[in-house]
Structures are given as C-alpha cells and as structure tokens.
Amino acid sequence: MTLAKTALASFDVDAQKSFTPLCPNELPVAGGDQIGAELNYMASLAGHRVGSKDAHTPYAPWVVTHPSEMMKPTGLVHADLTWVSHCVPGTDGFTLLDELPTPYDYDYFIWKGVEPDLHPYGACYHDLHDKLSTGVIEYLKAQGVVRVLVGGLALDYCVKTTALQLLKAGLEVVLHLPACRGISEEGGVQAVNELLKAGAVISSTREELAAMATR
C-alpha cells in the first residue's frame, strides 16, 4: 500500500547555524552547514513540514565558558550536561540555515530550551522526562500523519532523541542520513544503531528516501 503525501511529514530538527562551522565558537558540527538541500528534498516528499530550534539564554545554569568543560553532569533535573552557550535569540547562531524557510513558513514549529533550567534534546517535549509536550506529536496525529522523515543537527543528540520520541508515540520514522551530521562519528553510528533497534528505517540516498517515504 502506498501512503498519501498527506500522511507524510518532514521534520527539520535544530538546523541552526550554531551547530555549524559558521559559528566556530558555539557548537560547530563538521558539515552541519551542508544539509539544507537535503532537508528541502525531504520536505518536497511530504505533505507537512515541521521544525524546531534551540532557544537558550547565555545565563543558563548549564552554560560553561570553555569547550573542555562541556558534557559534565550538572545535577539539574532537566538539563543533564554542561554546554557552551549556543543558539541565543538575536544572534546569528540562533538562525536557521540560509537554504531553509523562516520558522513562520513551516506548518508547525517549536522553540525549545527557553526556560533557563530546561535543556531538552528531543523536540517533542520541553523536559527530559517526556512530560511537557511541545504539541508536535499531537499536531502530526491530528493531521493524519503516519510516517515522519527526520533530519537535522546533531544526529547523536537532538535528532536521535526526537526520532525516538516519535517512534515511542507510535509514528513511523525514516532517518535521512544525508540530512544529518553528528558531533562525533562514533556518536552518529551509535545513534543509528539505537534508532534501528527502536524500529526506525534509514535512508542513505535521495533514491532510497523517495522509495521509503511512501511504501
């Protein structure tokens, strides 16, 4: 059975300049600035386009000043690790990649991490316990979406967690690898393995994605 386009959504997870070499003092992910065209291709196959952005104050309690201090436990309930300041509203790093639409041109858009003590990775919940919904799962189900094509930054954190949340909610997930980049190669491989185990399917080319999108 072939899925109708209206049953498909694409999800651009945190495709912001902060996570690219365009902002070398934030959280630059190698190749993060090269995924815009692939995200747009994903969207061309889908009937709905959703997206998310990190939106953080530089004064959050999990912010550290040097990369060597990152990824340390914080002791905070909903912000588990330390990170350097990134994705601050009003800065270049907060903006989406130039190839992408503005947030207002998406069908549904999420800003996450606005509260200083919240640093979620997934875009489906504002907290780390999957309690405070961002509404995107409810939106997708209300629109009759069955399958979600996922890409964005970074694969081993926000993309992986978002995809796992979608799967847990009963939605099918296709992770489009050319539309993702990981903070580390090892982390990216681990993320793919976790997603496969959870029931996602993986596309490595546009041809694979087009075939997986509707079948």
Side-chain angles (χ1 to χ4, degrees), residues 81-157:
L81 299 175
T82 56
W83 300 93
V84 296
S85 182
H86 59 280
C87 298
V88 176
T91 67
D92 196 41
F94 181 64
T95 61
L96 295 172
L97 299 175
D98 289 341
E99 299 92 338
L100 301 182
T102 69
Y104 320 105
D105 293 320
Y106 282 75
D107 296 303
Y108 193 93
F109 204 87
I110 301 124
W111 288 265
K112 59 192 182 74
V114 178
E115 295 288 344
D117 58 342
L118 299 183
H119 188 262
Y121 300 111
C124 300
Y125 297 92
H126 289 295
D127 63 311
L128 294 184
H129 296 168
D130 293 1
K131 177 184 176 183
L132 301 175
S133 175
T134 63
V136 69
I137 289 171
E138 292 82 354
Y139 168 81
L140 293 170
K141 291 189 173 183
Q143 298 300 316
V145 170
V146 173
R147 188 170 299 157
V148 186
L149 316 179
V150 177
L153 301 168
L155 171 57
D156 32 1
Y157 281 90

Side-chain angles (χ1 to χ4, degrees), residues 12-174:
D12 300 349
V13 180
D14 299 0
Q16 294 166 267
K17 292 179 183 177
S18 182
F19 302 118
T20 77
L22 299 171
C23 293
N25 295 322
E26 297 188 37
L27 290 172
V29 176
D33 54 338
Q34 300 169 9
I35 66 169
E38 293 298 327
L39 292 171
N40 286 336
Y41 180 72
M42 281 171 30
S44 75
L45 301 174
H48 314 271
R49 187 173 196 173
V50 301
S52 65
K53 265 188 180 188
D54 272 355
H56 302 312
T57 172
Y59 307 110
W62 47 262
V63 169
V64 292
T65 57
H66 195 273
S68 64
E69 302 172 282
M70 290 200 314
M71 300 188 187
K72 310 290 186 186
T74 63
L76 299 169
V77 176
H78 294 295
D80 58 345
L81 299 175
T82 56
W83 300 93
V84 296
S85 182
H86 59 280
C87 298
V88 176
T91 67
D92 196 41
F94 181 64
T95 61
L96 295 172
L97 299 175
D98 289 341
E99 299 92 338
L100 301 182
T102 69
Y104 320 105
D105 293 320
Y106 282 75
D107 296 303
Y108 193 93
F109 204 87
I110 301 124
W111 288 265
K112 59 192 182 74
V114 178
E115 295 288 344
D117 58 342
L118 299 183
H119 188 262
Y121 300 111
C124 300
Y125 297 92
H126 289 295
D127 63 311
L128 294 184
H129 296 168
D130 293 1
K131 177 184 176 183
L132 301 175
S133 175
T134 63
V136 69
I137 289 171
E138 292 82 354
Y139 168 81
L140 293 170
K141 291 189 173 183
Q143 298 300 316
V145 170
V146 173
R147 188 170 299 157
V148 186
L149 316 179
V150 177
L153 301 168
L155 171 57
D156 32 1
Y157 281 90
C158 297
V159 174
K160 177 188 77 172
T161 305
T162 300
L164 289 172
Q165 290 171 341
L166 294 168
L167 287 163
K168 188 176 179 181
L171 293 160
E172 299 173 8
V173 168
V174 180

